[in-house]
Amino acid sequence: MDVTALARDLRTGNRRALARAITLVESTRADHRAAAVDLLEAVRDDGREALRIGLSGTPGVGKSTFIESFGMMLTARGLRVAVLAVDPSSARSGGSILGDKTRMDRLSRDPGAFIRPSPSGAQLGGVASRTREAARLCEAAGFDVILIETVGVGQSETAVAWMTDLFVLLLAPAGGDELQGVKRGIMEMADLILVNKADGDLKPAAMRTCADYAGALRLLRRRDYDPPDFPKAMTVSALEENGLEDAWGEMQTLDAWRREEGHRASRRAEQAQHWFEEDVRRALLAKLATPEAQEEMAGLGTDVAGGRLTSAEAARRMLAALEGQA
């Protein structure tokens, strides 16, 4: 693969080149990983930055509907929008439906938008293993806003906060009370809480839920990288497209303040260091997947099961064997 030509096409905003580049970085083949590293190095210093927005919420809260309505609003303003949607993988077959794009039929036809579904694989935290790298490629392709839609699994889905500038949590009406709101985990990572489906018969419940969470947010410890009014809770209706302009205005306000105060740059530097450490962990775990390591693991596992070794001693021998391979 000609990485130089791919990087050149990527910088021109070529959608096919972007799709090929994301496929490359998601591949687990050794030669593809080497090419992906070269590609990411080639676009590292191009100076392009997009506003990265992470979107999470429970299944059925309307993430895809919100993204389509929100994305259409942004493209109407002349902004280029990339959507990286993470789809859950089956624990049995390992496959994914990757159907998020079909839910966004209007946005998928918009020339100012790019939608890429990816399987979560065995990755925890609601994102795919290479979502951050895919976001960097979207920046290199000249997109202005990158929306990262997580799997939607619950309160521990916080990995997306380590790869975005803003973290938006979507909630459904009557989804909890103030006690639910002060639980640690995903709630304390959110920059903006949007109570969706604030329309029709659900509007009164949405208003009450928003008030509950607004009160709960005041009980959380203030973060250094937030202005006085954040985080905050708001109501929106993705179906009727109400409240989207206000939500976008709040996102711009928060991002502008963090830029001026230097928090955005420092957060990105902290995130880069975090993912460097994650890449090292992945590389070490990959050593366990080699045939030699698997054979050694099987033998030691049999000894542990038979009571001939303790698990601690078997682990020590396994690590010694890996050091010998290195």
Side-chain angles (χ1 to χ4, degrees):
M1 179 177 292
D2 189 344
V3 173
T4 303
L6 183 58
R8 182 183 63 245
D9 293 342
L10 185 65
R11 291 193 190 95
T12 66
N14 186 296
R15 298 163 68 91
R16 182 173 296 180
L18 176 57
R20 289 178 59 210
I22 294 177
T23 299
L24 179 65
V25 300
E26 289 181 341
S27 175
T28 57
R29 276 178 42 175
D31 57 334
H32 286 178
R33 283 306 305 158
V37 171
D38 292 340
L39 176 62
L40 291 165
E41 279 294 311
V43 300
R44 177 170 55 88
D45 293 325
D46 60 8
R48 294 181 177 180
E49 276 194 0
L51 175 58
R52 302 176 183 176
I53 303 173
L55 288 155
S56 186
T58 55
V61 75
K63 293 190 297 296
S64 297
T65 305
F66 173 82
I67 288 174
E68 179 170 57
S69 298
F70 189 65
M72 293 294 293
M73 181 199 70
L74 295 180
T75 58
R77 291 168 170 256
L79 298 172
R80 298 186 67 208
V81 179
V83 178
L84 301 176
V86 182
D87 203 50
S89 296
S90 169
R92 296 182 178 179
S93 66
S96 294
I97 297 176
L98 301 180
D100 296 277
K101 192 172 182 178
T102 63
R103 291 176 173 156
M104 310 176 198
D105 57 325
R106 288 188 301 145
L107 189 61
S108 64
R109 296 194 301 268
D110 193 314
F114 173 85
I115 304 176
R116 173 70 180 225
S118 296
S120 62
Q123 183 75 11
L124 300 178
V127 293
S129 60
R130 300 297 172 184
T131 300
R132 181 177 178 273
E133 295 177 355
R136 180 66 197 96
L137 294 174
C138 291
E139 285 184 325
F143 284 89
D144 303 300
V145 180
I146 301 171
L147 303 175
I148 301 177
E149 179 192 2
T150 68
V151 169
V153 292
Q155 292 176 335
S156 63
E157 192 175 280
T158 56
V160 71
W162 284 97
M163 60 180 68
T164 54
D165 303 310
L166 302 177
F167 182 29
V168 177
L169 179 61
L170 286 177
L171 297 177
D177 52 15
E178 290 182 349
L179 178 61
Q180 189 72 18
V182 296
K183 285 186 177 180
R184 296 304 186 256
I186 197 170
M187 197 64 59
E188 61 184 350
M189 303 293 287
D191 297 311
L192 192 64
I193 292 177
L194 300 180
V195 182
N196 194 21
K197 303 185 180 181
D199 48 57
D201 295 339
L202 288 175
K203 189 169 184 179
M207 299 297 291
R208 289 194 299 270
T209 301
C210 182
D212 284 341
Y213 279 94
L217 289 174
R218 288 193 287 269
L219 300 177
L220 296 178
R221 182 179 301 173
R222 187 176 179 275
R223 304 174 303 191
D224 294 336
Y225 51 87
D226 285 336
D229 294 337
F230 285 88
K232 62 176 57 178
M234 304 174 63
T235 58
V236 296
S237 170
L239 184 64
E240 296 182 352
E241 300 184 359
N242 293 328
L244 301 181
E245 296 274 358
D246 293 337
W248 174 237
E250 296 292 351
M251 293 179 200
Q252 288 181 299
T253 298
L254 178 57
D255 182 58
W257 184 86
R258 286 180 175 173
R259 280 174 177 267
E260 293 171 2
E261 298 294 322
H263 293 299
R264 179 167 169 178
S266 62
R267 284 275 295 165
R268 286 209 171 191
E270 185 181 1
Q271 290 172 359
Q273 182 174 352
H274 169 82
W275 289 106
F276 154 69
E277 294 171 359
E278 282 295 310
D279 282 340
V280 172
R281 292 188 186 97
R282 287 177 190 160
L284 291 174
L285 288 174
K287 290 182 178 294
L288 292 174
T290 62
E292 297 81 8
Q294 290 292 305
E295 182 179 356
E296 184 73 18
M297 284 275 286
L300 290 170
T302 300
D303 290 340
V304 171
R308 293 181 291 276
L309 281 177
T310 64
S311 59
E313 174 60 19
R316 187 191 65 80
R317 293 187 185 185
M318 187 66 220
L319 292 174
L322 290 176
E323 291 174 0
Q325 291 178 14

